C-alpha cells in the first residue's frame, strides 16, 4: 500500500472503456448467444495489455485491468457463483430501484427515461447453497493482468471484486433463513476471490455502491434503521475479508452511477462512521459530482483514522465535461489540508469507462486528473 509521500498519487475506481469488438462479444454472451471462447480469451488478453499502457500514458500511478474480462462490474459474479436461478418477478418480491426516493418526486423524469426504471421482467434469486465456482475465470483474470503489467512502470496494481451487500442487491434470497445467514454465505463464497487476488500480489478493491445507494431502494427506512441495515452488510464484508491485511484492501463506494437527480441520497455524514469500519486502509469515495462535492466538510468533523488513505473522486462520471486541472488541484489541496497531504490520492467518482460519452472523454479526464495532481503537488510540496 502506497502513500502520497512526495507527491499526490493518481488512481481510479475501476471499469475502463471496452474495445468495440470485445464489447460485442460480452453483449453476445450476456444474451446467451454462442461466442468462440478461444477468440474471446485472446481478445481479453490483448485488451488488458492495451489498457494497462493507456492508463500509464495518461499519468495514472495505481492501475487495474480495466475490467476488460467482465461484461459488468456486478454481473460477472453470476459466472463465479452457483446456487441461483433467474425467474420472473412476483408481486411479493422486494423492489431494487436505486432511485426509489427520487422517483416519488421526479416521476415524470423517470417515466420519460424508461431505460432507467429497472423494472426487470426476470430477476436473479438464490435458491440453493452458494458456492464459488469462478476459479478458472479468476485465474485467467490474474494471468492476463500479470502479463499486461510485464515491463511496465507503475506504483501499484489492483483488481476489483464486488461486495456481499451489492451482490445481495441483484441476487435476492429465496433459500437462506434470514439476511444474516444469506450475507454470511455470500461473504464465505466471495472470500475465495478476495484472498486469491491478494495472494496473487495485487491490491484488492472492494466495490460496494449499495452501501450508500441502498438508502434509495430501502425507501421506507429511517436513518437509524438504515444504519443498522448498513452495519450488517459491513459486518458481512469484514467476514469476507478475514485473514486479509487491511493495507492490501481498497474500499470503493458511491451513491450509484445512474444519471439523475440524486436529491434524496443519504448524506455522507450519516454513514461515514460505518464506512470507516470496513477493514480497508484505502477509502475511495464519490466526491466530485454536484450532489456530494460539498461533503469534504465532513472530514473537518470526522478524523481520518491513522494509517488510512482517502481517495476522493476529483473527476466524475456525472458529466461529459472534462474537469479543468486547476479545479482538480483545488479539490485535492482542500482534502490534503484537512487529512494530510500524504493521506490523499486523486481518484474518480466511479468507473468512467461505461459511464461517460466516449472513451476519448474518459482518457481526457484522466489526463486532466494527472495534471491536476501535479499542480496540487507543486502547491503542497513547493516543488
Amino acid at each position: 500500500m502506497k502513500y502520497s509521500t512526495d507527491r499526490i498519487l493518481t488512481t481510479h475506481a475501476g471499469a475502463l472503456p471496452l474495445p468495440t469488438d470485445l464489447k460485442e462479444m460480452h453483449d453476445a454472451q450476456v444474451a446467451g448467444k454462442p461466442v468462440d471462447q478461444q477468440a474471446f480469451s485472446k481478445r481479453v488478453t490483448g485488451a488488458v495489455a492495451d489498457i494497462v499502457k493507456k492508463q500509464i500514458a495518461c499519468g495514472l500511478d495505481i492501475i487495474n485491468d480495466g475490467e476488460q474480462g467482465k461484461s459488468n462490474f456486478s454481473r460477472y459474479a453470476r459466472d463465479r457463483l452457483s446456487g441461483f436461478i433467474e425467474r420472473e418477478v412476483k408481486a411479493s418480491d422486494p423492489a431494487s430501484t436505486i432511485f426509489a426516493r427520487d422517483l416519488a418526486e421526479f416521476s415524470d423524469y423517470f417515466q420519460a427515461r424508461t431505460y432507467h426504471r429497472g423494472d426487470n421482467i426476470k430477476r436473479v434469486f438464490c435458491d440453493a447453497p452458494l458456492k464459488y465456482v469462478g476459479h478458472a475465470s479468476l485465474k485467467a483474470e490474474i494471468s492476463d493482468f500479470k502479463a499486461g503489467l510485464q515491463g511496465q512502470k507503475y506504483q501499484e496494481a489492483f483488481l476489483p471484486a464486488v461486495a456481499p451487500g451489492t451482490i445481495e442487491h441483484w441476487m435476492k434470497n429465496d433459500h437462506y433463513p434470514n439476511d444474516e445467514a444469506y450475507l454470511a454465505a455470500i461473504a464465505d463464497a466471495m472470500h475465495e476471490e478476495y484472498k486469491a487476488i491478494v495472494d496473487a500480489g495485487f491490491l484488492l478493491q472492494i466495490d460496494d455502491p449499495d452501501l450508500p445507494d441502498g438508502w434509495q431502494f430501502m425507501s421506507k427506512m429511517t436513518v437509524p434503521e438504515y444504519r443498522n441495515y448498513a452495519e450488517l452488510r459491513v459486518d458481512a464484508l469484514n467476514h469476507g475479508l478475514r485473514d486479509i491485511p487491511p493495507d492490501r484492501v481498497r474500499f470503493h463506494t458511491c451513491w450509484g452511477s445512474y444519471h439523475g437527480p440524486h436529491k434524496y441520497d443519504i448524506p455522507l455524514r450519516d454513514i461515514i462512521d460505518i464506512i470507516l469500519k470496513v477493514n480497508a486502509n484505502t477509502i475511495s469515495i464519490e466526491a466530485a459530482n454536484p450532489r456530494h462535492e460539498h461533503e469534504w466538510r465532513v472530514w473537518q468533523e470526522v478524523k481520518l483514522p491513522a494509517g488510512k488513505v482517502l481517495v476522493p473522486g476529483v473527476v466524475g462520471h456525472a458529466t461529459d465535461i472534462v474537469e479543468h486541472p486547476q479545479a482538480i488541484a483545488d479539490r485535492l489541496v482542500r482534502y490534503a489540508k484537512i487529512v494530510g497531504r500524504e493521506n490523499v490520492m486523486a481518484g474518480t467518482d466511479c468507473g468512467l469507462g461505461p459511464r461517460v460519452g466516449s472513451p476519448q472523454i474518459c482518457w481526457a479526464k484522466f489526463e486532466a486528473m494527472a495534471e491536476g495532481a501535479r499542480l496540487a503537488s507543486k502547491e503542497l510540496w513547493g516543488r
Side-chain angles (χ1 to χ4, degrees):
M1 172 183 169
K2 299 286 186 179
Y3 293 86
S4 294
T5 52
D6 54 11
R7 65 180 177 87
I8 297 292
L9 297 175
T10 56
T11 186
H12 65 96
L16 297 177
L18 292 170
T20 301
D21 60 334
L22 179 55
K23 187 178 186 308
E24 290 172 352
M25 290 181 178
H26 278 300
D27 291 344
Q29 290 187 124
V30 170
K33 298 176 181 178
V35 172
D36 184 325
Q37 287 304 304
Q38 186 174 359
F40 174 77
S41 297
K42 184 178 180 180
R43 187 65 188 95
V44 169
T45 300
V48 170
D50 291 341
I51 214 79
V52 164
K53 293 174 184 175
K54 189 67 175 177
Q55 290 172 81
I56 294 169
C58 287
L60 296 181
D61 297 305
I62 301 169
I63 62 177
N64 77 338
D65 67 342
E67 302 185 47
Q68 300 294 290
K70 300 172 180 175
S71 62
N72 176 286
F73 95 97
S74 60
R75 186 184 179 94
Y76 86 94
R78 299 186 193 186
D79 299 326
R80 299 191 183 181
L81 296 173
S82 67
F84 64 88
I85 59 169
E86 190 174 272
R87 67 162 172 78
E88 292 187 358
V89 176
K90 301 175 184 176
S92 59
D93 291 328
S96 294
T97 307
I98 64 171
F99 43 81
R101 293 178 190 256
D102 284 344
L103 181 60
E105 179 172 341
F106 302 103
S107 57
D108 291 349
Y109 171 87
F110 289 105
Q111 188 65 40
R113 291 159 176 79
T114 54
Y115 61 89
H116 271 317
R117 292 178 58 83
D119 297 334
N120 300 325
I121 297 174
K122 291 187 176 182
R123 200 178 296 158
V124 177
F125 292 82
C126 171
D127 70 334
L130 290 177
K131 293 183 180 179
Y132 189 79
V133 295
H135 305 91
S137 296
L138 180 58
K139 182 178 179 180
E141 181 180 337
I142 290 170
S143 176
D144 285 341
F145 195 26
K146 285 185 173 181
L149 292 170
Q150 284 291 322
Q152 304 301 320
K153 292 184 179 180
Y154 57 95
Q155 290 289 327
E156 283 188 296
F158 71 95
L159 283 176
V162 69
T166 291
I167 290 177
E168 179 199 27
H169 178 188
W170 60 259
M171 186 166 67
K172 301 301 182 183
N173 176 29
D174 269 356
H175 176 76
Y176 291 90
N178 51 46
D179 287 355
E180 290 85 350
Y182 183 43
L183 287 161
I186 300 174
D188 282 333
M190 292 302 294
H191 175 72
E192 295 191 45
E193 177 160 308
Y194 301 162
K195 192 169 187 306
I197 288 171
V198 173
D199 287 348
F202 300 121
L203 296 176
L204 164 67
Q205 176 171 295
I206 295 293
D207 288 327
D208 196 9
D210 289 350
L211 184 60
D213 75 26
W215 166 253
Q216 287 263 7
F217 67 79
M218 304 303 291
S219 59
K220 304 302 180 184
M221 285 187 177
T222 63
V223 169
E225 289 170 338
Y226 187 71
R227 283 177 54 83
N228 290 335
Y229 173 94
E231 287 201 78
L232 177 61
R233 280 135 189 91
V234 166
D235 288 345
L237 171 57
N238 285 337
H239 176 62
L241 292 173
R242 64 191 181 276
D243 306 324
I244 299 175
D247 66 353
R248 304 304 298 163
V249 183
R250 298 162 40 125
F251 179 73
H252 171 71
T253 194
C254 63
W255 283 263
S257 59
Y258 84 92
H259 290 214
H262 285 272
K263 181 178 177 180
Y264 294 100
D265 285 356
I266 194 166
L268 177 61
R269 181 176 284 103
D270 288 341
I271 56 171
I272 185 56
D273 58 321
I274 299 173
I275 290 172
L276 290 174
K277 288 181 181 179
V278 175
N279 290 335
N281 277 10
T282 300
I283 306 296
S284 164
I285 194 163
E286 190 169 4
N289 83 57
R291 193 68 199 178
H292 295 282
E293 183 176 4
H294 70 286
E295 290 181 321
W296 61 269
R297 295 177 181 273
V298 170
W299 300 101
Q300 293 178 318
E301 307 164 13
V302 177
K303 183 175 175 58
L304 183 70
K308 288 191 183 289
V309 168
L310 182 63
V311 187
V314 290
V315 300
H317 61 279
T319 176
D320 285 347
I321 295 173
V322 177
E323 293 84 350
H324 194 283
Q326 188 60 60
I328 294 167
D330 291 347
R331 290 169 175 169
L332 290 167
V333 169
R334 186 185 297 150
Y335 277 96
K337 288 183 176 179
I338 298 172
V339 304
R341 62 190 185 182
E342 71 280 3
N343 300 319
V344 174
M345 291 183 189
T348 62
D349 275 357
C350 201
L352 296 186
R355 297 178 180 90
V356 295
S358 81
Q360 290 177 314
I361 291 173
C362 171
W363 305 125
K365 282 177 177 278
F366 282 159
E367 289 168 352
M369 182 171 68
E371 177 59 22
R374 287 190 286 271
L375 292 172
S377 298
K378 185 176 181 180
E379 180 172 345
L380 292 165
W381 277 269
R383 59 179 186 274

